[in-house]
Short mmCIF file of all heavy atoms in Angstrom, two decimals:
data_model
loop_
_atom_site.label_atom_id
_atom_site.label_comp_id
_atom_site.label_asym_id
_atom_site.label_seq_id
_atom_site.Cartn_x
_atom_site.Cartn_y
_atom_site.Cartn_z
N LEU A 186 133.00 89.83 123.92
CA LEU A 186 133.43 91.03 123.20
C LEU A 186 132.35 92.11 123.22
O LEU A 186 132.65 93.31 123.34
CB LEU A 186 133.80 90.67 121.76
CG LEU A 186 135.10 89.90 121.56
CD1 LEU A 186 135.29 89.51 120.09
CD2 LEU A 186 136.31 90.73 122.04
N ALA A 187 131.09 91.70 123.10
CA ALA A 187 129.99 92.66 123.15
C ALA A 187 129.91 93.33 124.52
O ALA A 187 129.74 94.55 124.63
CB ALA A 187 128.67 91.97 122.81
N ALA A 193 133.38 99.58 127.62
CA ALA A 193 134.26 100.63 127.10
C ALA A 193 133.45 101.85 126.66
O ALA A 193 133.85 102.99 126.92
CB ALA A 193 135.07 100.08 125.92
N PHE A 197 133.68 105.63 128.23
CA PHE A 197 133.94 106.77 127.36
C PHE A 197 132.86 107.84 127.51
O PHE A 197 133.17 109.04 127.63
CB PHE A 197 134.02 106.30 125.90
CG PHE A 197 134.12 107.42 124.92
CD1 PHE A 197 135.32 108.10 124.74
CD2 PHE A 197 133.02 107.79 124.16
CE1 PHE A 197 135.41 109.15 123.84
CE2 PHE A 197 133.10 108.83 123.25
CZ PHE A 197 134.30 109.51 123.09
N VAL A 201 133.20 111.77 128.87
CA VAL A 201 132.73 112.93 128.11
C VAL A 201 131.74 113.75 128.93
O VAL A 201 131.79 114.98 128.95
CB VAL A 201 132.09 112.47 126.79
CG1 VAL A 201 131.43 113.64 126.07
CG2 VAL A 201 133.15 111.84 125.88
N TRP A 212 130.76 117.13 145.65
CA TRP A 212 130.92 116.63 147.02
C TRP A 212 130.21 117.53 148.03
O TRP A 212 129.79 117.07 149.10
CB TRP A 212 132.41 116.54 147.36
CG TRP A 212 133.25 115.78 146.38
CD1 TRP A 212 134.47 116.13 145.89
CD2 TRP A 212 132.93 114.53 145.75
NE1 TRP A 212 134.94 115.21 145.00
CE2 TRP A 212 134.01 114.21 144.90
CE3 TRP A 212 131.85 113.66 145.82
CZ2 TRP A 212 134.03 113.06 144.12
CZ3 TRP A 212 131.87 112.52 145.05
CH2 TRP A 212 132.94 112.23 144.22
N LEU A 226 111.50 125.52 154.56
CA LEU A 226 110.47 125.17 155.53
C LEU A 226 110.42 126.19 156.66
O LEU A 226 111.46 126.67 157.12
CB LEU A 226 110.75 123.77 156.09
CG LEU A 226 110.72 122.63 155.06
CD1 LEU A 226 111.14 121.32 155.71
CD2 LEU A 226 109.34 122.50 154.43
N ALA A 247 96.41 126.05 129.83
CA ALA A 247 96.29 124.62 129.50
C ALA A 247 94.97 124.33 128.79
O ALA A 247 94.95 123.60 127.78
CB ALA A 247 96.41 123.78 130.76
N GLY A 304 105.74 138.84 122.51
CA GLY A 304 105.96 139.47 123.79
C GLY A 304 105.50 138.56 124.92
O GLY A 304 104.77 137.60 124.70
N SER A 318 100.61 120.53 121.29
CA SER A 318 99.57 119.51 121.41
C SER A 318 99.05 119.01 120.08
O SER A 318 98.45 117.92 120.02
CB SER A 318 98.40 120.05 122.24
OG SER A 318 98.84 120.49 123.51
N ALA A 343 76.73 102.09 101.13
CA ALA A 343 75.85 101.29 100.27
C ALA A 343 74.42 101.82 100.25
O ALA A 343 73.66 101.52 99.33
CB ALA A 343 75.85 99.84 100.74
N VAL A 357 82.77 109.10 112.50
CA VAL A 357 82.79 109.89 113.74
C VAL A 357 82.30 109.09 114.95
O VAL A 357 82.95 109.13 116.01
CB VAL A 357 81.99 111.19 113.56
CG1 VAL A 357 81.84 111.92 114.90
CG2 VAL A 357 82.67 112.10 112.55
N ILE A 413 101.52 123.59 142.77
CA ILE A 413 101.66 122.91 141.48
C ILE A 413 101.38 121.42 141.64
O ILE A 413 100.68 120.81 140.82
CB ILE A 413 103.06 123.16 140.89
CG1 ILE A 413 103.21 124.63 140.47
CG2 ILE A 413 103.31 122.24 139.69
CD1 ILE A 413 104.61 124.98 140.00
N VAL A 427 87.21 111.06 133.97
CA VAL A 427 86.55 111.30 132.68
C VAL A 427 86.83 110.18 131.71
O VAL A 427 85.94 109.68 131.03
CB VAL A 427 86.98 112.67 132.12
CG1 VAL A 427 86.46 112.84 130.70
CG2 VAL A 427 86.48 113.80 132.99
#
Side-chain angles (χ1 to χ4, degrees):
L186 287 176
F197 173 76
V201 172
W212 308 136
L226 298 175
S318 303
V357 172
I413 291 175
V427 172

